[in-house]
Amino acid sequence: MDLSIRDITYCKNVGAHRADILRKELKVQTAFDILQQYPFRYVDRSKFYKIADIQDEDTAVQIIGQITEWHPVGIGKAQRISATFNDGSHTCELVWFQGIKYLKLALNTPYLLFGKPSRFNHEWNFVHPELTLMSKVTPEMTQGLEPIYETTEAMKRSGLNSKGMRQIIASLMPDLKQSGVPDTLGMDVLMKNHLMGLSEALVNVHFPKDIASMQRARERLKFEELFYIQLHILRQKKSHEQRVGFPMPIVGRFFNRFYKECLPFELTNAQKRVVKEIHGDLKSGRQMNRLLQGDVGSGKTLVALLCALLAIDNGYQACIMAPTEILANQHLETLTHLLKDMPEVKVALLTGSTTKKQREPLHEGLRSGEINLLIGTHALIEDEVQFANLGLVIIDEQHRFGVKQRSKLWTKNETAPHVLVMTATPIPRTLAMTVHGDLSTSVIDELPPGRKPIQTFHYSILRRRSINEFIRKQIGLGRQIYVVYPLIKENEKLDLQDLENGYNTLCDTFPEYRISMVHGQMKAKDKDAQMQRFASGETQILVATTVIEVGVNVPNASVMIIENAERFGLSQLHQLRGRVGRGADQSFCILLTRTELSKETRQRMDIMVATNDGFRIAEADLQLRGPGDIDGTLQSGLPFDLKIASLATDGQILMQARQAASDILDADPTLEDEYNRIYKRQLNHLRITTGHYSGIS
Ligand code: ADP
Ligand code: MG
């Protein structure tokens, strides 16, 4: 029977009970689904070890030897079996805690032992090793690479450990080899990219002849995953590009007046360029979906305002959506300040703290079109917020917004408004192509003039005394200081305690200064009041959790001290550092950690000290953290899950897959051609089976 419809219950070595567990733990239904549980590594079974050669606990080894004696240890439940295994020159201990009743051990008979060694009392031993009598060892068993599968605790309890999975998958091999499975890629794509067919790849990913065929199999499977993600995204991009958008051809009195009379400084060339790019989209008659990337401090807010003015010039409303209330408030303040000589632009704020009473006139103003520019948080996308003619939506600091939230804006009008997503998180190219592959991109790759690069230092907490002196000196020069503590959700209470202790210590150390404190647990009103005191210069030090990470702008603050820096990821450290270096003064970032650091943490600190370049940091971040640990929002931004491909390391395959997808869509944008049916069908299938993706189309 076709493997793609064969219920796992009826696969060999499964049965009703295990089938339940497999469905629950791995979400698999059919034999074909099981075949898509790829091994995460392989063990070379053609290699034999001697006990004396064992190096570490990480590598499973196989050894030929004999059991010279065995005996029970302990009594009752705690009883275990201990045996001595001799490879001809050395001995080691074998231990069994479970299934003792069924254990049959032949003495002084050659066995093939296979297992992971562990170190105990300076000796190697093996817990629950696989033992096979040499007389029963088949040539296949010691040939090539043995697949190792990831399994869960619940699976292990039902014998579905790596070996159990291997047995199930092995028993599917004869059918797979004989009848195969329908391929999910067309002949043209396979040939052009020198890829294995699907059936061959499935055989070789599980039971490879050799390393070369394993690698080719994995390459093919990775290609397929990335190909369908790209096909999906590029198709969406094409349909966006055809979507009608509000025409905004006019550069009118709002924009011109602001540009000529209110601009506090000359735009950087990069700012000018991206405004032009965006204006090109706005006047095109098609809907804009553009990503604006610019490192922290590159001046995105001003670009946002100029774009909003273009929309207003053309008779539309615009809104700017920020991820936090602090940021929304700050945007309001910055923008009202910039627009202080242009009272004809009506700006309003809507956040979670906006009261019912304030909302009524606000809603009215939005419905009548009297309000031109609305600034706010998530509250903006609530259903009761209706605009007269929303023409442009600007989303700031996108990494806090999921694709779903973005798509909700679409439903506000019949014609979708133009969308500009601004992010300060530089995203490596491969990731950007995947997560934001449906957007066009503009980059502000230049900082406003006169900025001195931030100097970054990494110190252990043993240097605290000299750091305190440094703080004193900087405040003496009229500067202000941030001190940031990590806040990690799982341990919120303890983190808050850290913060409060830090605050108290600072108060004791610097009785002559005033100190503000903000954290996420505070009421928005109190938070704002504290921020305000710092922004106005009333306090010299701001102690905060990462609530200040995003976007806060106090140009006079020139020192960022990050406590427990080892607990922050690279991109977070970079964001935090971006809070300083916004004025003309030399700015500093001090990373404080404990003395003992893991290698990875040390590398992270070194990168921060070495460079201010957000893109370099983002690349390093992806390499260091690996693909499994990419920011949750980014992961959930993927249309389909990745089982085998890695955005961190498979950039080459990704580019190839994107090209293949793009070639197909160029020739046949809607995938109507007979020989492209396969792609359309597979896309639909993926959407149904793995789609946690709301889609933007
Ligand atoms: P971000 O891109 O991180 O949002 P902001 O928009 O907050 O950056 O800008 C950072 C700082 O740079 C602000 O104080 C802003 O007024 C200033 N700024 C922006 N553009 C220019 C420019 N062209 N020349 C000088 N200063 C600028
Ligand atoms: Mg900003």
Side-chain angles (χ1 to χ4, degrees), residues 175-328:
D175 280 359
L176 180 60
K177 282 180 189 160
Q178 202 183 10
S179 356
V181 288
D183 211 302
T184 40
L185 292 174
M187 214 40 179
D188 48 340
V189 169
L190 292 179
M191 303 268 278
K192 214 167 170 178
N193 296 282
H194 312 287
L195 299 170
M196 267 185 189
L198 180 58
S199 303
E200 193 187 351
L202 286 173
V203 170
N204 281 289
V205 76
H206 292 293
F207 299 102
K209 280 198 303 286
D210 48 36
I211 291 183
S213 46
M214 178 266 281
Q215 279 168 342
R216 288 205 55 217
R218 295 182 74 84
E219 203 177 291
R220 136 82 210 212
L221 296 166
K222 288 174 176 184
F223 183 98
E224 174 180 340
E225 278 185 357
L226 296 169
F227 170 83
Y228 276 105
I229 287 182
Q230 290 304 326
L231 195 65
H232 177 86
I233 288 171
L234 290 172
R235 221 174 135 200
Q236 213 147 41
K237 186 168 182 213
K238 276 218 171 359
S239 86
H240 283 170
E241 283 165 1
Q242 274 150 21
R243 192 152 39 194
V244 174
F246 298 118
M248 302 186 180
I250 302 166
V251 182
R253 63 193 173 98
F254 288 103
F255 184 94
N256 283 325
R257 170 120 196 266
F258 181 80
Y259 200 87
K260 292 193 184 109
E261 295 167 30
C262 306
L263 206 56
F265 25 60
E266 173 86 7
L267 290 185
T268 62
N269 285 329
Q271 282 170 319
K272 283 184 197 158
R273 190 189 68 241
V274 301
V275 171
K276 263 200 206 110
E277 285 168 2
I278 293 163
H279 184 226
D281 286 356
L282 294 180
K283 66 182 179 195
S284 71
R286 286 182 299 276
Q287 189 222 5
M288 171 175 77
N289 278 280
R290 188 168 281 276
L291 177 72
L292 175 59
Q293 283 197 54
D295 213 342
V296 276
S298 59
K300 293 188 291 297
T301 318
L302 202 54
V303 170
L305 176 59
L306 288 166
C307 297
L309 291 174
L310 283 174
I312 298 167
D313 268 338
N314 287 274
Y316 294 94
Q317 292 166 299
C319 71
I320 300 179
M321 185 152 68
T324 65
E325 275 189 32
I326 293 188
L327 243 190

